[in-house]
């Protein structure tokens, strides 16, 4: 997987990103109604709602990480929430997700963030274990959400 490159999403990626969002929803037994127009609005519109990184292998998107800004207002802290983290099934287990999390953390640092949070579904012990291995800790009030404090 040394050919994997993590980069900002581009408009040309949106159909593949939509397909991956649909695959993630199906993996969790859910449906998804997102359109390319929705993604264009939320990622490239006048007020972008999310930031999205893609993992690319030989010009093909094989994963994505969608991020939103968070704040712990009472503590004066800013961070990033990982809304989605997805890697194509045939690319899992090769460190692509770990590299994407590192890129998310670097983005958070560039924005002056001091933490990254991510959630899992109760039955997704493998993802939780992977996040813990990357330095994320379950939140005491919500063990399905994990946080990593950034140095």
């Amino acid at each position: 997987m040394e050919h994997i490159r993590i980069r900002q999403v581009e408009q040309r990626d949106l159909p593949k990103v939509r397909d991956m969002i649909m695959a993630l929803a199906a993996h969790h037994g859910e449906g998804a109604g997102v359109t390319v127009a929705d993604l264009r609005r939320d990622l490239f519109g006048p007020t972008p709602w999310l930031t999205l990184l893609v993992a690319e292998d030989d010009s093909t998107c094989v994963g994505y990480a969608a991020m939103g800004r968070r704040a712990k207002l009472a503590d004066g802290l800013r961070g990033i929430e990982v809304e989605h983290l997805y890697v194509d099934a045939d690319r899992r287990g090769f460190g692509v997700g770990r590299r994407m999390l590192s890129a998310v953390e670097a983005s958070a640092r560039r924005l002056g963030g001091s933490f990254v949070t991510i959630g899992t579904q109760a039955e997704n012990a493998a993802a939780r274990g992977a996040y813990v291995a990357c330095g994320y800790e379950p939140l005491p009030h919500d063990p399905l959400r994990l946080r990593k404090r950034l140095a």
Side-chain angles (χ1 to χ4, degrees):
M1 291 295 134
E2 63 274 352
H3 298 84
I4 298 291
R5 181 171 75 112
I6 310 296
R7 62 170 174 78
Q8 291 287 324
V9 69
E10 297 172 1
Q11 293 221 24
R12 66 184 170 90
D13 302 320
L14 297 183
K16 175 60 176 170
V17 169
R18 182 189 176 278
D19 292 346
M20 290 187 290
I21 292 169
M22 301 297 269
L24 179 60
H27 174 77
H28 291 299
E30 301 170 355
V34 68
T35 66
V36 169
D38 294 332
L39 294 171
R40 188 173 293 111
R41 175 200 65 210
D42 290 343
L43 299 169
F44 298 103
T47 307
W49 211 255
L50 297 167
T51 302
L52 198 131
L53 300 175
V54 294
E56 181 181 67
D57 187 10
D58 292 328
S59 301
T60 300
C61 292
V62 297
Y64 73 94
M67 305 172 281
R69 295 180 185 191
R70 302 248 331 143
K72 288 185 70 183
L73 192 57
D75 295 325
L77 300 176
R78 299 184 302 175
I80 293 290
E81 171 78 17
V82 179
E83 302 291 337
H84 279 186
L85 179 64
Y86 175 83
V87 177
D88 282 343
D90 63 339
R91 306 302 169 98
R92 294 181 194 149
F94 296 101
V96 177
R98 182 180 301 265
R99 288 187 53 198
M100 291 179 67
L101 277 177
S102 291
V104 167
E105 294 161 13
S107 293
R109 286 184 188 97
R110 276 193 301 278
L111 292 168
S114 61
F115 66 91
V116 173
T117 56
I118 192 165
T120 65
Q121 293 187 325
E123 65 276 4
N124 200 346
R128 228 175 3 270
Y131 301 149
V132 168
C134 289
Y136 288 74
E137 299 175 351
L139 296 175
H141 62 280
D142 184 356
L144 297 180
R145 289 179 37 87
L146 300 96
R147 177 179 56 215
K148 182 174 185 177
R149 296 175 197 272
L150 303 176

